[in-house]
C-alpha cells in the first residue's frame, strides 16, 4: 500500500456505505486525546523528544494491522508535499494543526481510512474513528478497541481524579470529542438553524462548519460535537449528543416535509437550477458549488432526482476543495484556474452518473 | 437575525457572557466581532482556545484575593517540564502530566468554568491500571449508600454493605 491510495479517491471507502439515517447524518466521528505518561506534551517538548515518539510509532505500528481496518501505514507529515497535506486535511484524515507542526508530526492511517491516529498533534495521540451515518455508539466502541490496543504498548498519562491528562484543559477527563456531520438544508433554508444553534450551545454542544473551528457551514453541512469532557462518562456524553441529533433529524425531516408540501414547485425549481449549474457551468467557485451540491443532494433525498447516488455530496464536497483540485492538476493553480477545473470535474462526474 | 453592530450583515456569532449571574447576549457578524475585539483570531481563525487564557484571569474572588493568589503562584513552575504558572495562564495549556500536580491548587476553578462545574473524571480508565481504581470507586460508592442506610436507620442493610466493603478491602490488600 502506498500514499497514493489515500490521495487518489476524494471519497473514503467507508463513505460509500449507507449508515443509519444517512439521508441527514453523513458521518459519525469519535476522537480520543491521549498522552504518554513520562514525556513532555508536544507543545513544549524538544524536537528530539518528539522524534522519539515518531520513532516509537514507526517501529511498533508501521505495517501492522488492526481488526477489520486493514493494514496501518505510518506517514511522516514532513515527507508530504504541501498539496498532499491539503488533501489529507480536506478528507478529514488529519487536522490543520498537524500540518502546521509538520516537522515532528505523523499519522497512522488504516487502509479503510476509518482509523486515523495523529501523532504529536496538540497531544501525543489523537485517535480518530469514522463510521458512515448516525451510529455514535458503535463508533465509540470501535474507538475504544483501538485505544485498548494502543494501550498494550503505551502507558498513558492518567490521573484518578482528572482522568486522561491532555495539553488543553478543554479535553481533560475523557479526552473525548464525539461529533456528527449533518446535512441540514431544510432547517437552513427556513432560517431555523439560527434559532436552534444557540439552544444547542446551551446544552453544552457546539455547532460548527464542515472544516471545524471557524469554518462556515459550506453546503449546509454542520458538525455537532460535545464541549464538556470532564465529569461525564463517555457513555453519557455520547447519549446526550445522540438525543440532540435525533431531535435535529426529526426537525429536519419535518422542515423537508413542509417545504415539499407548501413550496413544492419553488423547491423543485431550485433543485433543478442547481442541477443545471453543476451540469453545465464552465466556471464555478467553491461556495456556489457547495450550495448547488447541497440542493442536488436534497433533490436526491426527496426523490426529485433519480439515478444519482447520495454519496455524491460527500464525494464532490471534497473533490471541489483547493487541495484536491491541485493534486488532480499536479501543480498549484490560481483562483480562476481552480474555478474552471472545478466546473469541469463536476461536469465530468455528473455525466458519469447519467450514463 | 441581523448584526447588532452594523445592522447590515447577518449575525453569525452569538456570544453569551455570564458575569456574576448577569447574562448578556450579543449577536454580531464576524467582521464586527473582529473589529470590536469580541473574539481573537489566530491563524486558524476563531478559536475557543484563544478565549481560554482569558478565562483564567476572570477570577470571581475579590481583587485583594486575586493579588495574593497571583503573588503566591507566579513563582510556581513545574519541576518536570519547567512550565511556569504564569506561562500556563498565558497560553492556557499544560506542558506535561506533572503540571497537573504542580498547579493542582489552582485548577478546580478553571475546570469548573470549562466543564460546567465538573472537576472529577467519570468514565474510562486505562485497562492496565484499571482494576485498582475501579475497586476504589466501588468502595466509595458503597460507603455512601451505607451512610444513607444508617441515616435511615436500616442497620441490617448497612451491615450487608459493610461486609461487601470489607471483602473488597481484603482483596485489595492481598493484591498489593
Amino acid at each position: 500500500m502506498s500514499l497514493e491510495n489515500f490521495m487518489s479517491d476524494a471519497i473514503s471507502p467507508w463513505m460509500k456505505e449507507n449508515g443509519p439515517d444517512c439521508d441527514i447524518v453523513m458521518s459519525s466521528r469519535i476522537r480520543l486525546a491521549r498522552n504518554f505518561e513520562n514525556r513532555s506534551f508536544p507543545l513544549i517538548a524538544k524536537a528530539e523528544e518528539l522524534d522519539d515518539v515518531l520513532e516509537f510509532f514507526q517501529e511498533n505500528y508501521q505495517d501492522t494491522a488492526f481488526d477489520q481496518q486493514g493494514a496501518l501505514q505510518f506517514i511522516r507529515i514532513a515527507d508530504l508535499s504541501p498539496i498532499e497535506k491539503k488533501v489529507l486535511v480536506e478528507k478529514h484524515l488529519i487536522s490543520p494543526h498537524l500540518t502546521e507542526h509538520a516537522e515532528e508530526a505523523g499519522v497512522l492511517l488504516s487502509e479503510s481510512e476509518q482509523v486515523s491516529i495523529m501523532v504529536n498533534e496538540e497531544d501525543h495521540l489523537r485517535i480518530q474513528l469514522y463510521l458512515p451515518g448516525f451510529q455514535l455508539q458503535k463508533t465509540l466502541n470501535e474507538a475504544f478497541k483501538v485505544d485498548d490496543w494502543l494501550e498494550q504498548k503505551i502507558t498513558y498519562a492518567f490521573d484518578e481524579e482528572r482522568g486522561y491528562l491532555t495539553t488543553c484543559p478543554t479535553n481533560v477527563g475523557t479526552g473525548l470529542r464525539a461529533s456528527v456531520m449533518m446535512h441540514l438544508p431544510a432547517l437552513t433554508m427556513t432560517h431555523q438553524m439560527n434559532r436552534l444553534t444557540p439552544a444547542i450551545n446551551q446544552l453544552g454542544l457546539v455547532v460548527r462548519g464542515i472544516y471545524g473551528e471557524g469554518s462556515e457551514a459550506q453546503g449546509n453541512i454542520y458538525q455537532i460535537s460535545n464541549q464538556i469532557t470532564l465529569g461525564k462518562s463517555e457513555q453519557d456524553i455520547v447519549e446526550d449528543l445522540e438525543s440532540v441529533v435525533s431531535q435535529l433529524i426529526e426537525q429536519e425531516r419535518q422542515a423537508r416535509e413542509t417545504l415539499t408540501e407548501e413550496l413544492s414547485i419553488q423547491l423543485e425549481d431550485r433543485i433543478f437550477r442547481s442541477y443545471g449549474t453543476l451540469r453545465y457551468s464552465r466556471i464555478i467557485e467553491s461556495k456556489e458549488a457547495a450550495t448547488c451540491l447541497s440542493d442536488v443532494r436534497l433533490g436526491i433525498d426527496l426523490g426529485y432526482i433519480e439515478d444519482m447516488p447520495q454519496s455524491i455530496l460527500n464525494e464532490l464536497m471534497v473533490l471541489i476543495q483547493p487541495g484536491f483540485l491541485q493534486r488532480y492538476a499536479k501543480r498549484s493553480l490560481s483562483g480562476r484556474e481552480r474555478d474552471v477545473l472545478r466546473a469541469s470535474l463536476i461536469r465530468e462526474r455528473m455525466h458519469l452518473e447519467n450514463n | 437575525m441581523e448584526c447588532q453592530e452594523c445592522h447590515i450583515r447577518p449575525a453569525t456569532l452569538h456570544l453569551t457572557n455570564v458575569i456574576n449571574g448577569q447574562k448578556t447576549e450579543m449577536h454580531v457578524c464576524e467582521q464586527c466581532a473582529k473589529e470590536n475585539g469580541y473574539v481573537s483570531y489566530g491563524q486558524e481563525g476563531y478559536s475557543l482556545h484563544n478565549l481560554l487564557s482569558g478565562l483564567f484571569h476572570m477570577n470571581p474572588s475579590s481583587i485583594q484575593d486575586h493579588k495574593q493568589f497571583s503573588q503566591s503562584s507566579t513563582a510556581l513552575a513545574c519541576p518536570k517540564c519547567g512550565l511556569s504558572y504564569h506561562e500556563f495562564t498565558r497560553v492556557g495549556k499544560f506542558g506535561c502530566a506533572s503540571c497537573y500536580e504542580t498547579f493542582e491548587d489552582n485548577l478546580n476553578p478553571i475546570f469548573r468554568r470549562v466543564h460546567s462545574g465538573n472537576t472529577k473524571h467519570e468514565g474510562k480508565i486505562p485497562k492496565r491500571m484499571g482494576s485498582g481504581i475501579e475497586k476504589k470507586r466501588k468502595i466509595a460508592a458503597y460507603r455512601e449508600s451505607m451512610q444513607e442506610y444508617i441515616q435511615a436507620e436500616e442497620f441490617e442493610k448497612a451491615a450487608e454493605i459493610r461486609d461487601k466493603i470489607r471483602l473488597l478491602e481484603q482483596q485489595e490488600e492481598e493484591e498489593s
Side-chain angles (χ1 to χ4, degrees):
Chain A
M1 187 174 58
S2 72
L3 187 63
E4 194 53 34
N5 291 50
F6 299 115
M7 297 290 163
S8 54
D9 280 327
I11 190 168
S12 294
W14 58 268
M15 284 186 199
K16 290 173 190 154
E17 285 161 40
N18 283 341
D21 295 305
C22 65
D23 56 330
I24 292 167
V25 182
M26 299 166 73
S27 63
S28 301
R29 182 188 78 130
I30 293 288
R31 184 220 71 192
L32 300 169
R34 301 286 187 255
N35 283 291
F36 282 84
E37 186 181 32
N38 288 319
R39 293 175 186 276
S40 294
F41 297 162
L43 177 73
I44 63 164
K46 292 189 189 75
E48 305 96 76
E49 294 178 82
L50 294 175
D51 253 346
D52 280 352
V53 176
L54 288 180
E55 283 293 324
F56 174 85
F57 272 86
Q58 182 113 43
E59 271 170 33
N60 286 282
Y61 299 105
Q62 174 71 288
D63 294 325
T64 55
F66 175 73
D67 218 29
Q68 324 272 307
Q69 307 289 349
L72 292 166
Q73 197 188 354
F74 185 72
I75 300 165
R76 282 177 192 253
I77 304 302
D79 294 342
L80 299 177
S81 74
I83 290 174
E84 285 170 332
K85 280 182 224 167
K86 258 195 191 150
V87 169
L88 291 185
V89 171
E90 287 165 2
K91 289 183 82 174
H92 296 280
L93 291 174
I94 60 173
S95 65
H97 182 100
L98 200 71
T99 63
E100 282 158 28
H101 300 80
E103 279 313 307
E104 314 297 341
V107 63
L108 197 60
L109 282 177
S110 77
E111 201 175 350
S112 62
E113 296 184 23
Q114 272 180 294
V115 181
S116 144
I117 301 160
M118 289 186 266
V119 181
N120 294 339
E121 217 252 15
E122 187 182 89
D123 295 295
H124 288 132
L125 282 91
R126 287 283 177 96
I127 305 164
Q128 289 199 106
L129 206 135
Y130 289 98
L131 281 180
F134 184 31
Q135 39 185 345
L136 279 169
Q137 185 59 57
K138 195 172 169 209
T139 317
L140 179 68
N141 295 344
E142 294 294 316
F144 274 176
K145 276 191 213 161
V146 180
D147 188 36
D148 293 343
W149 176 67
L150 289 171
E151 199 205 307
Q152 290 171 7
K153 286 186 181 168
I154 300 170
T155 306
Y156 286 145
F158 182 87
D159 177 80
E160 238 174 277
E161 283 279 310
R162 307 299 194 190
Y164 291 94
L165 305 179
T166 54
T167 304
C168 187
T170 54
N171 292 316
V172 73
T174 57
L176 168 70
R177 192 118 302 148
S179 64
V180 288
M181 202 75 91
M182 302 184 83
H183 182 224
L184 302 171
L187 286 178
T188 314
M189 265 183 236
T190 53
H191 302 293
Q192 292 183 72
M193 271 320 279
N194 292 341
R195 183 175 57 80
L196 287 166
T197 305
I200 297 168
N201 291 344
Q202 293 232 308
L203 295 168
L205 302 177
V206 191
V207 183
R208 286 190 265 241
I210 178 171
Y211 285 106
E213 261 176 45
S215 68
E216 59 181 319
Q218 259 191 40
N220 301 322
I221 297 168
Y222 298 85
Q223 189 184 314
I224 303 177
S225 59
N226 66 300
Q227 188 64 57
I228 295 164
T229 58
L230 183 65
K232 268 170 96 176
S233 71
E234 289 88 349
Q235 202 58 41
D236 289 345
I237 291 170
V238 162
E239 277 169 22
D240 287 354
L241 180 60
E242 273 177 340
S243 78
V244 170
V245 172
S246 300
Q247 286 179 42
L248 273 174
I249 294 174
E250 205 44 53
Q251 301 239 15
E252 169 70 18
R253 291 226 168 97
Q254 273 176 22
R256 287 182 186 190
E257 215 169 285
T258 315
L259 281 176
T260 40
E261 275 167 20
E262 290 171 17
L263 296 164
S264 179
I265 191 69
Q266 287 93 328
L267 185 65
E268 197 175 344
D269 177 68
R270 176 176 170 149
I271 288 166
F272 281 102
R273 276 173 186 276
S274 289
Y275 181 79
T277 304
L278 293 179
R279 201 78 220 249
Y280 299 108
S281 69
R282 263 44 183 180
I283 299 171
I284 194 164
E285 285 178 20
S286 63
K287 207 170 169 183
E288 186 187 5
T291 309
C292 291
L293 279 169
S294 168
D295 288 342
V296 166
R297 169 67 202 257
L298 182 64
I300 297 167
D301 291 339
L302 295 176
Y304 290 107
I305 296 171
E306 289 166 0
D307 311 326
M308 192 74 73
Q310 286 180 319
S311 62
I312 197 142
L313 173 70
N314 311 42
E315 182 184 345
L316 287 178
M317 272 308 284
V318 176
L319 194 75
I320 63 173
Q321 301 299 329
F324 215 91
L325 290 174
Q326 298 184 71
R327 210 232 50 120
Y328 189 88
K330 296 193 173 67
R331 65 187 177 89
S332 55
L333 301 168
S334 70
R336 172 47 59 91
E337 284 175 320
R338 286 207 292 266
D339 293 346
V340 171
L341 180 62
R342 181 179 294 116
S344 123
L345 281 179
I346 293 173
R347 284 203 313 275
E348 208 175 286
R349 183 68 187 79
M350 294 193 63
H351 189 70
L352 218 71
E353 287 300 333
N354 279 159
N355 283 292
Chain B
M1 191 185 292
E2 69 178 29
C3 169
Q4 66 185 50
E5 292 286 335
C6 64
H7 300 287
I8 300 166
R9 290 174 289 268
T12 51
L13 287 172
H14 309 278
L15 307 167
T16 309
N17 261 323
V18 182
I19 298 165
N20 293 330
Q22 282 283 345
K23 201 166 113 183
T24 50
E25 285 186 38
M26 261 192 290
H27 307 281
V28 292
C29 67
E30 207 168 307
Q31 197 170 332
C32 289
K34 227 185 268 184
E35 279 165 12
N36 292 298
Y38 297 145
V39 289
S40 45
Y41 284 78
Q43 261 191 323
E44 288 169 73
Y46 168 66
S47 153
L48 176 98
H49 297 165
N50 296 341
L51 291 173
L52 257 186
S53 64
L55 280 177
F56 295 168
H57 299 289
M58 258 175 35
N59 205 300
S61 50
S62 72
I63 296 169
Q64 189 57 41
D65 280 355
H66 186 73
K67 262 187 193 154
Q68 284 175 355
F69 168 86
S70 352
Q71 270 165 9
S72 65
S73 306
T74 37
L76 206 58
C78 176
K80 189 96 184 289
C81 70
L83 186 80
S84 70
Y85 184 75
H86 177 75
E87 188 65 7
F88 167 64
T89 55
R90 197 182 64 79
V91 185
K93 311 254 164 113
F94 293 101
C96 70
S98 301
C99 292
Y100 280 81
E101 274 168 53
T102 314
F103 308 138
E104 169 67 29
D105 293 347
N106 304 327
L107 293 183
N108 277 347
I110 295 168
F111 289 152
R112 259 188 228 116
R113 256 175 243 142
V114 179
H115 298 286
S116 293
N118 302 332
T119 57
K120 206 166 177 295
H121 175 58
E122 303 266 337
K124 198 169 193 257
I125 298 163
K127 281 257 155 63
R128 269 188 287 148
M129 62 175 86
S131 65
I133 296 173
E134 235 154 70
K135 243 172 233 153
K136 269 189 202 157
R137 276 195 188 172
K138 238 188 215 163
I139 291 172
Y142 277 146
R143 284 227 169 89
E144 239 172 66
S145 60
M146 184 170 78
Q147 284 305 322
E148 277 167 25
Y149 282 127
I150 291 171
Q151 299 250 311
E153 302 192 2
E154 293 182 47
F155 298 114
E156 260 175 49
K157 281 186 182 161
E160 264 173 43
I161 290 181
R162 182 203 54 208
D163 293 342
K164 281 185 191 167
I165 294 174
R166 277 196 189 148
L167 194 72
L168 278 174
E169 280 174 340
Q170 268 173 11
Q171 280 176 4
E172 220 176 29
E173 268 169 41
E174 276 162 27
E175 273 167 28
S176 59

